């Protein structure tokens, strides 16, 4: 028996504040608890010279994961390969900080403040940005803001495929086609117009397209298995959980402990990490996020096809919306 209008009104009154509270908690809680958790950093130089630097990082238990390197060249290579976010090189003139603002401007600023605070009085800390953000996005704000529109595009793709009752090959064609065009359009806007990306354009388009495909296929797959409720579940998973835990605007290691790692297994977090690797670091450290997105896409597409098979195998009834219209045969003449 359908709910009365009064009950539906009460449901809306109670549901909207709950959704608002969930959204505020999901987005505000990680931002309010920003702090390093096993943030990989390096120290370079002779052991006797780097020991005080390492001890300085280790004063905060669990905050930094310190790697030792023989010299500045090895530390630079580790930064470019995305093994560490930055490194402090011990030199006769004092500490020389190597950062990578392209890996996260917030982390670069945090390291600058931490090393400067621990430097001997009167010592000027020299800072070199090994992998800098492009001039069009010096603070990384545009890159950080790019993930929510990308997630919304993926959710919209999956929702439209479901609401338009596209199934089987047509659903796959819509998902792949929309993801391809969205990837190309996003690259034109981000690389050519806004100039916030520095990598190979085709590789960037592939990342954007894979991100939209993974999210769209996930939403469409959930809808194929659960009905329209799957659209809402997919949107909650991607927008309310995946985006705030992606670490795109800061770094996964700056989110509350273990939450940042979880975010990297969700499509928005994997998309941000993959795009950062492709756009700024020549594809270094791209394998894991690429495999993560591929797994989401494959599972989503498989769910879409499974839902289509279940629909095709279900017996049709006259009341079913998918049942073809039947023509009545004329009654035999008396």
């Amino acid at each position: 028996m359908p709910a009365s209008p009064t009950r539906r009104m009460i449901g809306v009154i109670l549901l909207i504040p709950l959704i608002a509270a969930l959204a505020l908690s999901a987005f505000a809680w990680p931002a309010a608890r920003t702090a390093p958790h096993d943030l990989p950093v390096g120290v370079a130089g002779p052991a006797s010279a780097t020991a005080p630097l390492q001890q300085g990082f280790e004063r905060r238990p669990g905050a930094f994961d310190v790697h030792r390197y023989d010299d500045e060249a090895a530390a630079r290579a580790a930064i470019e390969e995305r093994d560490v976010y930055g490194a402090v090189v011990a030199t006769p003139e004092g500490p020389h900080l190597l950062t990578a603002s392209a890996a996260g401007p917030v982390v670069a600023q945090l390291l600058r403040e931490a090393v400067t605070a621990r430097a001997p009085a009167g010592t000027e800390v020299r800072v070199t940005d090994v992998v800098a953000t492009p001039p069009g996005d010096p603070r990384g704000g545009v890159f950080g803001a790019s993930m929510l529109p990308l997630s919304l595009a993926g959710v919209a793709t999956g929702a439209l495929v479901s609401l338009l009752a596209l199934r089987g090959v047509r659903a796959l064609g819509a998902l792949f086609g929309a993801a391809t065009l969205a990837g190309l359009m996003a690259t034109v806007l981000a690389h050519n117009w806004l100039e916030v990306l520095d990598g190979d354009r085709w590789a960037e388009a592939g990342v954007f397209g894979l991100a939209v495909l993974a999210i769209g296929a996930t939403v469409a797959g959930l809808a194929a298995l659960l009905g329209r409720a799957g659209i809402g579940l997919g949107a909650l998973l991607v927008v309310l959980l995946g985006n705030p835990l992606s670490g795109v605007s800061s770094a996964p290691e700056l989110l509350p402990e273990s939450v940042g790692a979880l975010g990297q297994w969700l499509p928005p977090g994997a998309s941000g990490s993959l795009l950062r690797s492709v756009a700024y670091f020549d594809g270094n450290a791209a394998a894991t996020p690429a495999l993560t997105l591929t797994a989401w896409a494959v599972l989503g597409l498989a769910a879409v096809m499974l839902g289509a098979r279940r629909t095709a195998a279900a017996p049709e009834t006259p009341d079913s919306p998918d049942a073809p219209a039947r023509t009545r045969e004329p009654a035999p003449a008396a």
Side-chain angles (χ1 to χ4, degrees), residues 2-301:
S4 66
T6 302
R7 288 185 178 181
R8 293 198 296 269
M9 179 191 71
I10 294 174
V12 171
I13 293 174
L14 296 178
L15 182 61
I16 296 304
L18 178 60
I19 293 176
L22 288 174
L24 180 61
S25 300
F27 281 88
W29 174 64
R33 298 291 185 270
T34 298
H37 298 91
D38 291 323
L39 184 74
V41 297
V43 294
S48 58
T50 57
L53 300 174
Q54 184 168 348
Q55 291 171 3
F57 282 120
E58 292 174 347
R59 286 176 186 172
R60 296 176 61 181
F64 297 97
D65 179 17
V66 184
H67 301 247
R68 287 200 69 259
Y69 300 101
D70 293 332
D71 51 30
E72 180 178 334
R76 283 176 174 268
I79 292 172
E80 293 169 350
E81 292 170 5
R82 301 201 70 188
D83 293 331
V84 294
Y85 282 91
V88 186
V89 183
T91 69
E93 295 78 19
H96 177 199
L97 175 61
L98 306 177
T99 64
S101 59
V106 176
V107 178
Q109 181 63 28
L110 182 151
L111 292 177
R112 188 179 295 110
E113 293 173 353
V115 174
T116 301
R118 296 189 179 99
T123 302
E124 182 179 354
V125 177
R126 185 160 58 99
V127 180
T128 300
D129 200 348
V130 178
V131 186
T133 53
D137 190 22
R139 295 179 178 82
V142 180
F143 186 93
S146 65
M147 199 45 57
L148 181 58
L150 197 65
S151 298
L152 294 177
V155 171
T157 301
L160 286 174
V161 167
S162 175
L163 295 175
L164 295 177
L166 299 177
R167 296 186 178 87
V169 176
R170 289 186 177 86
L172 298 188
L175 290 168
F176 276 101
T180 300
L181 292 179
L184 293 173
M185 182 61 69
T187 303
V188 170
L189 293 175
H191 192 122
N192 298 85
W193 179 42
L194 298 176
E195 298 181 346
V196 299
L197 301 179
D198 279 344
D200 179 79
R201 289 176 174 82
W202 291 109
E204 292 165 358
V207 173
F208 282 124
L210 180 59
V212 173
L213 177 63
I215 296 171
T218 297
V219 173
L222 289 172
L225 298 178
L226 305 176
R228 291 190 177 183
I231 299 176
L233 179 60
L236 289 174
L237 179 68
V238 172
V239 178
L240 281 187
L241 186 62
N243 266 273
L245 301 186
S246 66
V248 174
S249 58
S250 56
E253 293 84 357
L254 295 185
L255 298 178
E257 195 170 2
S258 75
V259 170
L262 171 63
Q264 294 305 294
W265 292 106
L266 297 175
S271 301
S273 294
L274 181 57
L275 181 60
R276 200 181 292 277
S277 290
V278 168
Y280 306 131
F281 293 89
D282 295 328
N284 291 322
T288 298
L291 289 174
T292 301
L293 285 178
T294 301
W296 280 99
V298 170
L299 291 175
L301 295 173

